[in-house]
Amino acid sequence: MMENSNSELLAKIADLKKRRNAIFLVHNYQLGEVQDIADFIGDSLELSQQAARTDADVIVFCGVRFMAETASIICPDKVVLLPDLHAGCPMADMITAQRLREKKKMHPEATVVCYVNSSAAVKAESDICCTSANAVRIVEKLPSDEEIIFIPDQYLGNYVATKTGRNMILWPGFCPTHTRIQAPDISRQKKEHPKAKALVHPECRPEVIALADEVLSTGGMIRFARDSNTEEIIVGTEIGIIHRLRKENPGKRFIPVSEQAICPRMKLITLESVLWSLENMTHRIKIPTRTRLKAKAAVDKMLEG
Ligand code: 13P
Ligand code: SF4
């Protein structure tokens, strides 16, 4: 029964997608059913790069709002649809353009490095963007005497500061999903699976990062699983990624550090909402031109590097 209704839904989606000349960009944390209809699936950086490359007329962004905004910043002539407007990132909401302006006034010489998990308005107030995949490289390239404000994730910021030896002013934001992953969870999994390698996302707390074998973006985890000989992998990030890891590596074992690591906003995108979005051509994510151009300068600097 379930399979029948899904196959009908899938056929409708495929038909409309063709008629609209649409592409589905899907983040690694999405529901399995949404991952399975992706034209491209990846981490934040890979999805931005893909948005920049596509010749489709419509991008249906299966992820959270800041990701759809980034696609719209890069591709203003395309229709960018977010199937559910409530799919926002709580960390991105922990900073506003106004509060950032106030911080900049206190440090007028500082360079603002902005994690892409932020609104277009916040990016517009920033000098350069980064994702978890390139944050260390981007900060390393800044002159060593430069004062840096890193926003909005204190844990990614702390990780980058540790790796680069740079002293950065950190914004106190955090990811409510990754902070649910606790050090005792990872210690327990390592004890139960002594041969496994533990991968964690840099949004995790420092005490969790300290127990990891590798600290990687979601795209980095996908590559590690594919390329390493390790048969057992402990996964310290949002559990949606397990679907892709298992699908692409059927011979390997993936163990989530914590079943609690769920991002509820990511899960708002469903097959139904994707179909609804294509039928109604909503919700269109469009950034006002002035904000877009300023935000684009920060995103372009990241993509060039
Ligand atoms: P990635 O860029 O590693 O996919 O991370 C995005 C994100 O929102 C992590 O919580
Ligand atoms: Fe935001 Fe965390 Fe969800 Fe990523 S997992 S989208 S940082 S709330």
Side-chain angles (χ1 to χ4, degrees):
M1 180 70 192
M2 189 61 197
E3 214 172 65
N4 272 347
S5 58
N6 257 3
S7 54
E8 220 173 272
L9 206 53
L10 289 167
K12 281 188 189 166
I13 291 171
D15 173 53
L16 254 187
K17 181 186 171 208
K18 201 167 171 194
R19 284 198 275 142
R20 304 273 197 229
N21 188 24
I23 186 173
F24 297 155
L25 297 187
V26 177
H27 188 263
N28 289 321
Y29 295 160
Q30 288 286 288
L31 290 172
E33 64 187 36
V34 179
Q35 294 191 23
D36 293 344
I37 60 165
D39 291 287
F40 187 83
I41 177 165
D43 68 15
S44 306
L45 179 63
E46 294 161 344
L47 293 173
S48 307
Q49 289 164 332
Q50 211 56 37
R53 250 175 246 147
T54 182
D55 54 8
D57 297 318
V58 177
I59 296 173
V60 180
F61 214 108
C62 303
V64 287
R65 186 179 178 119
F66 77 80
M67 297 177 179
E69 283 192 355
T70 307
S72 186
I73 288 166
I74 298 170
C75 319
D77 301 331
K78 300 199 186 301
V79 175
V80 178
L81 302 177
L82 181 65
D84 191 314
L85 261 194
H86 294 102
C89 165
M91 182 209 286
D93 295 338
M94 289 176 187
I95 185 166
T96 61
Q98 177 57 29
R99 289 188 67 201
L100 176 55
R101 277 194 291 271
E102 286 161 15
K103 191 76 170 174
K104 282 165 61 176
K105 262 191 203 143
M106 293 160 66
H107 305 276
E109 302 299 322
T111 293
V112 178
V113 179
C114 174
Y115 189 26
V116 281
N117 296 40
S118 53
S119 68
V122 166
K123 288 184 177 75
E125 289 291 334
S126 303
D127 296 296
I128 183 163
C129 282
C130 69
T131 71
S132 59
N134 59 20
V136 169
R137 190 157 31 90
I138 281 184
V139 168
E140 257 169 3
K141 280 195 347 209
L142 296 174
S144 57
D145 56 349
E146 198 132 308
E147 192 178 20
I148 300 168
I149 301 175
F150 189 94
I151 58 165
D153 185 9
Q154 60 181 302
Y155 295 121
L156 174 63
N158 180 70
Y159 172 70
V160 172
T162 311
K163 290 295 280 185
T164 59
R166 303 294 292 266
N167 189 11
M168 303 194 294
I169 300 158
L170 303 180
W171 193 267
F174 62 91
C175 164
T177 299
H178 283 86
T179 48
R180 269 193 213 141
I181 299 174
Q182 305 277 331
D185 296 329
I186 190 163
S187 301
R188 182 172 37 84
Q189 295 292 10
K190 284 176 75 167
K191 223 183 208 164
E192 283 174 23
H193 308 279
K195 287 198 188 127
K197 288 263 186 259
L199 317 183
V200 309
H201 197 274
E203 287 176 13
C204 289
R205 296 171 194 267
E207 62 272 24
V208 172
I209 288 181
L211 294 170
D213 294 297
E214 303 282 341
V215 183
L216 297 166
S217 71
T218 62
M221 291 183 188
I222 296 290
R223 283 188 292 281
F224 181 94
R226 186 192 59 204
D227 300 338
S228 91
N229 296 327
T230 314
E231 303 273 306
E232 266 188 313
I233 296 179
I234 298 168
V235 183
T237 193
E238 211 275 349
I239 59 173
I241 197 172
I242 301 283
H243 176 82
R244 181 171 175 198
L245 287 168
R246 288 187 179 145
K247 194 170 159 184
E248 293 183 3
N249 306 278
K252 297 187 180 177
R253 180 151 184 230
F254 298 96
I255 306 132
V257 172
S258 167
E259 296 286 353
Q260 305 290 315
I262 297 172
C263 177
R265 309 293 184 91
M266 280 278 179
K267 308 307 186 211
L268 289 174
I269 315 294
T270 61
L271 290 181
E272 279 85 355
S273 65
V274 168
L275 177 60
W276 181 87
S277 182
L278 273 174
E279 277 171 341
N280 298 285
M281 293 297 277
T282 58
H283 302 280
R284 290 185 192 225
I285 303 298
K286 198 101 191 120
I287 314 297
T289 307
R290 266 193 70 203
T291 306
R292 187 185 76 77
L293 290 176
K294 286 168 76 185
K296 187 170 184 298
V299 173
D300 282 349
K301 258 192 222 157
M302 168 183 85
L303 293 175
E304 282 157 17

